[in-house]
Amino acid sequence: MHDPVRMDAYRTAIDENKDNFLGKVVLDVGCGTGVLSIMAARAGARKVYAVETNAARYARKLVGAHGLEDVVTVLECCVEEADLPEKVDIIVSDFMGHFLLQESMIDNVILARDKFLKSTGAIYPSHCKMFLAAASSSRHGESRVEAHHESLEEFDEVKDYMFNECEIDLTCLSDVYKDEARELALHSSCSVHLEANELLGPPVAVKEIDLLTATHDDVKGVSQSFCIDLDPSMDKEKRRNFDLWVGWFAVQFNGSPDNPSLVQVECDTGPYNDETHWSHEGFIVHPPIDLTGASKVQGQIEMTRKKANWRLYDVKISHRACSGEKSGEEVSKTYYLK
Amino acid sequence: MHDPVRMDAYRTAIDENKDNFLGKVVLDVGCGTGVLSIMAARAGARKVYAVETNAARYARKLVGAHGLEDVVTVLECCVEEADLPEKVDIIVSDFMGHFLLQESMIDNVILARDKFLKSTGAIYPSHCKMFLAAASSSRHGESRVEAHHESLEEFDEVKDYMFNECEIDLTCLSDVYKDEARELALHSSCSVHLEANELLGPPVAVKEIDLLTATHDDVKGVSQSFCIDLDPSMDKEKRRNFDLWVGWFAVQFNGSPDNPSLVQVECDTGPYNDETHWSHEGFIVHPPIDLTGASKVQGQIEMTRKKANWRLYDVKISHRACSGEKSGEEVSKTYYLK
């Protein structure tokens, strides 16, 4: 998908730090069509190993079309199976999923680092941050709630029909159906593209990852308390209608302590910046909360991998509105990240 | 999903043939919430075995709520694993998928028949027919073609960006991308709900299945030549724009030779009838074909299971327009049923 924000970040991070690539050995984890590998080779890398499963043949084609087959070797395998003849100086990877971790390849990057990166090596990008913000976005919140009500109405329609036409009473399944419908509509996250003016206050960082040192355990999830300072100048109507938590991420290209980037680049996928192909992850607050009179929202986010499928997450957000020393009732909800 | 057409068919087929259910043993294959089992029990069945994997606990609940737990036994297993203490007189099942076979449970019904049905037994429904029709439906055809063009334009946009900003030339991947995009947009079937006035002539039956005698091989696919007589009174504009093949199915509840239904019921999901939750399966004809001057369309449909996943199908449709003894060029295309 076309995403100039992402591409500009990688291109600038590599092009503006050519000194760090000159004569180096690079590993591209999940190289796709090989674009980052080509950039690394052109920046002066002595050797690039491009590891890819699905698109390896396209990567080979593109590398060949640019006359770089002597520098870039495409390996059609997953990184666990990759066998490189040497350690590498730099890992490059476009591994990030929505809200960073959703279906991301971050584990593969850590695995590749432990297996192949020299102790002085660098990872591009080097750091990740996950952000959470409170928002008022009736266009997203209300449409979910409406869809939920429609599905409940549809059940009632079926129930009436079955009772009147077939003398079968579905009442005993009402609760089960309603719970499942609620789960689907209100406890699943939704992909949104938020506008900055929908935020009720500045975002908070709920996770920071240094890819040079993070362990697999570190990227398993999020567990962080937070405090959001509400913007006092916020539109009153919006403040009365806090209906969405929203999460996104940013990555930084800082190089490594031994080989810092001369030009540091950041790719922030949040609503203050140009839209990217990564969506913002929305978590519906229903019923909406009136934050009139509150000055902040204190809370806790717990994001954990599902046991049944470690690529899927549950996200529990607990929060209460506060004003001075008074604090409101705690609201807690677990969402399925999808 | 609410579907009175389906429910009316099953209800009428069971209620109006109570004599065939009285004192009988019934097997409900994939009973869902157990509605058909309850109907069979109420029609006088001595015993109903309701086999279900996912929704078994809901079926038990609904059966209990109607005081039928002594008659209906819900077995939480798939039919392959089911172990019944006796043979059954009747199998009931709501097994049909879109275009009958798509993700259907027809194999389970055949398996259940071979394992459990008495030689004099009946299956409800007893017969299936698959229909194919030629249609002119610009609302479906054009939107697909437009989406395809948009995806090609998006690729060109990425290509220009990558060339101008990153000096990477994606030309060598153009054909691959375009082929994949075409495959996705024009060679995948689409779910539609056609109106009868969009048909260019009466549908033809391309498969008939007698569930009492059909083998697993018989329901593996379709291989049938056909001839569609074009409706001479058809709107000229539509006739100039044949852009869609469309498939659907009907089932009949005829009982068995030994226990024929007194009242025969048909459930036809085609565009001449009220809409059901089963969609019509559309196969785009692109570019559209001008049938002006043609009196019929002769063709051949081959529907085969994919080797990689036997629940998925490839559908090859070859056809030529004919007028008297003259016949046009043959057009042939293979679609992925999705």
Side-chain angles (χ1 to χ4, degrees):
Chain A
M1 196 171 163
H2 194 29
D3 184 348
V5 173
R6 164 179 59 173
M7 203 45 73
D8 283 351
Y10 279 95
R11 185 176 52 82
T12 311
I14 295 172
D15 278 3
E16 301 291 320
N17 292 292
K18 283 203 173 83
D19 287 355
N20 283 345
F21 281 82
L22 194 64
K24 298 289 177 64
V25 180
V26 176
L27 167 59
D28 184 350
V29 176
C31 74
T33 54
V35 165
L36 300 185
S37 293
I38 290 172
M39 288 178 179
R42 284 189 176 159
R46 172 172 66 75
K47 186 74 210 167
V48 181
Y49 299 101
V51 172
E52 169 63 33
T53 47
N54 303 328
R57 66 187 186 284
Y58 305 139
R60 263 189 211 115
K61 209 164 177 174
L62 196 66
V63 165
H66 291 81
L68 292 165
E69 55 270 62
D70 291 345
V71 180
V72 181
T73 299
V74 178
L75 301 166
E76 187 165 358
C77 61
C78 55
V79 76
E80 292 95 317
E81 292 165 356
D83 186 17
L84 306 189
E86 58 188 323
K87 291 268 181 181
V88 306
D89 300 288
I90 297 177
I91 290 173
V92 298
S93 185
D94 176 6
F95 65 86
M96 299 85 79
H98 301 289
F99 202 24
L100 189 67
L101 298 180
Q102 191 188 4
E103 299 198 356
S104 89
M105 297 196 303
I106 195 165
D107 282 290
N108 293 350
V109 173
I110 290 175
L111 199 146
R113 178 200 68 194
D114 293 344
K115 207 168 157 188
F116 299 119
L117 191 66
K118 291 179 186 169
S119 59
T120 55
I123 304 180
Y124 283 66
S126 58
H127 294 78
C128 317
K129 270 190 190 176
M130 293 167 70
F131 294 98
L132 189 70
S136 176
S137 177
S138 54
R139 66 195 171 108
H140 293 118
E142 281 173 17
S143 67
R144 269 296 176 106
V145 173
E146 270 165 31
H148 179 221
H149 286 158
E150 273 166 28
S151 81
L152 296 184
E153 279 164 24
E154 196 182 338
F155 180 78
D156 287 337
E157 206 180 311
V158 176
K159 193 164 157 281
D160 288 347
Y161 169 86
M162 291 301 292
F163 191 74
N164 296 328
E165 302 296 325
C166 306
E167 291 173 62
I168 290 181
D169 184 354
L170 297 180
T171 304
C172 70
L173 298 181
S174 280
D175 288 350
V176 172
Y177 180 85
K178 284 175 183 170
D179 287 351
E180 280 194 7
R182 166 171 283 270
E183 198 69 26
L184 201 67
L186 304 178
H187 290 240
S188 302
S189 68
C190 48
S191 291
V192 301
H193 278 284
L194 215 70
E195 304 288 334
N197 66 11
E198 293 175 304
L199 299 186
L200 292 164
V204 288
V206 292
K207 182 91 188 179
E208 303 199 19
I209 297 169
D210 179 345
L211 283 171
L212 267 192
T213 58
T215 64
H216 286 286
D217 266 355
D218 290 337
V219 301
K220 260 187 185 159
V222 175
S223 175
Q224 183 66 45
S225 58
F226 58 82
C227 179
I228 288 185
D229 292 313
L230 297 170
D231 177 359
S233 68
M234 190 69 200
D235 175 82
K236 280 182 185 166
E237 188 53 46
K238 285 211 167 82
R239 181 182 282 259
R240 266 200 292 275
N241 191 57
F242 163 39
D243 61 0
L244 196 71
W245 286 108
V246 64
W248 67 86
F249 72 92
V251 293
Q252 288 154 339
F253 298 79
N254 300 341
S256 68
D258 287 300
N259 290 288
S261 297
L262 299 174
V263 175
Q264 295 197 341
V265 174
E266 184 176 58
C267 174
D268 186 332
T269 68
Y272 293 109
N273 300 282
D274 287 345
E275 198 170 303
T276 70
H277 79 287
W278 289 290
S279 59
H280 307 142
E281 207 62 38
F283 307 95
I284 304 282
V285 177
H286 181 76
I289 293 171
D290 184 348
L291 293 177
T292 308
S295 59
K296 54 189 179 181
V297 178
Q298 287 184 329
Q300 172 83 15
I301 177 171
E302 302 285 341
M303 185 164 159
T304 48
R305 289 184 172 176
K306 273 189 185 292
K307 283 199 185 98
N309 181 345
W310 65 270
R311 301 193 86 176
L312 302 178
Y313 288 88
D314 281 325
V315 181
K316 181 179 176 187
I317 304 178
S318 313
H319 56 100
R320 58 175 85 233
C322 305
S323 173
E325 294 192 356
K326 283 189 289 183
S327 68
E329 199 185 343
E330 188 182 63
V331 178
S332 183
K333 200 160 136 180
T334 300
Y335 303 87
Y336 164 52
L337 188 68
K338 72 168 203 174
Chain B
M1 194 173 165
H2 195 29
D3 183 348
V5 172
R6 165 180 59 174
M7 204 44 74
D8 283 350
Y10 279 96
R11 185 175 52 81
T12 310
I14 295 172
D15 278 3
E16 300 292 318
N17 292 290
K18 282 202 173 86
D19 286 356
N20 283 345
F21 281 82
L22 194 65
K24 298 290 177 62
V25 181
V26 175
L27 167 60
D28 184 349
V29 176
C31 75
T33 54
V35 166
L36 300 186
S37 294
I38 290 172
M39 287 178 180
R42 284 188 177 161
R46 172 173 65 77
K47 186 74 209 167
V48 180
Y49 298 101
V51 172
E52 169 64 31
T53 48
N54 304 327
R57 66 186 186 285
Y58 305 138
R60 261 187 214 117
K61 210 165 178 175
L62 195 66
V63 165
H66 291 81
L68 292 166
E69 56 271 61
D70 291 344
V71 180
V72 181
T73 298
V74 178
L75 301 167
E76 188 165 0
C77 61
C78 55
V79 75
E80 292 95 316
E81 291 165 356
D83 187 16
L84 305 190
E86 59 188 320
K87 291 270 181 177
V88 306
D89 300 289
I90 297 178
I91 290 173
V92 297
S93 186
D94 176 6
F95 65 86
M96 299 84 79
H98 300 288
F99 201 23
L100 188 67
L101 298 180
Q102 191 188 4
E103 299 196 357
S104 88
M105 298 196 301
I106 195 165
D107 281 290
N108 293 351
V109 173
I110 290 174
L111 199 146
R113 178 200 67 195
D114 292 345
K115 208 169 157 189
F116 299 119
L117 191 66
K118 291 179 187 171
S119 60
T120 54
I123 304 180
Y124 282 66
S126 58
H127 294 79
C128 317
K129 271 189 191 177
M130 294 166 71
F131 293 98
L132 189 70
S136 175
S137 177
S138 53
R139 67 195 170 107
H140 294 118
E142 280 173 17
S143 66
R144 270 296 178 104
V145 173
E146 271 165 31
H148 179 223
H149 287 157
E150 274 167 26
S151 81
L152 296 184
E153 279 164 23
E154 196 182 338
F155 180 79
D156 287 337
E157 209 180 310
V158 176
K159 194 164 157 280
D160 288 348
Y161 169 86
M162 291 301 293
F163 191 74
N164 296 329
E165 302 297 324
C166 307
E167 293 173 60
I168 290 180
D169 185 354
L170 297 180
T171 305
C172 71
L173 298 182
S174 281
D175 287 350
V176 172
Y177 180 85
K178 285 176 182 171
D179 286 351
E180 281 194 7
R182 166 172 283 270
E183 198 69 26
L184 201 67
L186 304 178
H187 289 241
S188 302
S189 69
C190 47
S191 291
V192 301
H193 278 285
L194 215 70
E195 304 287 334
N197 65 10
E198 293 175 302
L199 299 185
L200 292 164
V204 288
V206 292
K207 182 91 185 179
E208 303 198 20
I209 297 169
D210 178 343
L211 282 171
L212 268 192
T213 57
T215 64
H216 287 286
D217 266 355
D218 290 338
V219 301
K220 260 188 183 157
V222 175
S223 175
Q224 183 66 47
S225 58
F226 59 81
C227 180
I228 288 183
D229 293 313
L230 297 170
D231 177 359
S233 69
M234 190 69 200
D235 175 82
K236 280 182 186 167
E237 187 54 47
K238 286 212 166 81
R239 182 182 279 258
R240 267 200 291 275
N241 191 59
F242 163 38
D243 61 2
L244 196 72
W245 286 109
V246 63
W248 68 84
F249 72 92
V251 293
Q252 288 156 338
F253 299 79
N254 299 341
S256 68
D258 287 300
N259 289 289
S261 297
L262 299 174
V263 176
Q264 296 198 341
V265 174
E266 185 176 57
C267 175
D268 186 332
T269 68
Y272 293 108
N273 299 282
D274 286 346
E275 199 171 301
T276 70
H277 79 287
W278 289 288
S279 60
H280 307 141
E281 208 61 39
F283 308 95
I284 305 280
V285 176
H286 182 76
I289 293 173
D290 184 348
L291 293 177
T292 308
S295 59
K296 55 190 179 180
V297 177
Q298 287 184 329
Q300 173 83 15
I301 177 170
E302 302 284 342
M303 183 164 163
T304 49
R305 289 183 172 175
K306 274 188 185 293
K307 282 198 187 102
N309 181 344
W310 65 269
R311 299 193 89 177
L312 303 178
Y313 288 88
D314 281 324
V315 181
K316 181 179 177 188
I317 304 178
S318 312
H319 56 99
R320 61 174 83 232
C322 305
S323 173
E325 293 192 354
K326 284 189 287 181
S327 69
E329 200 186 341
E330 189 182 63
V331 178
S332 183
K333 201 160 136 181
T334 300
Y335 304 86
Y336 164 51
L337 189 68
K338 74 169 200 174

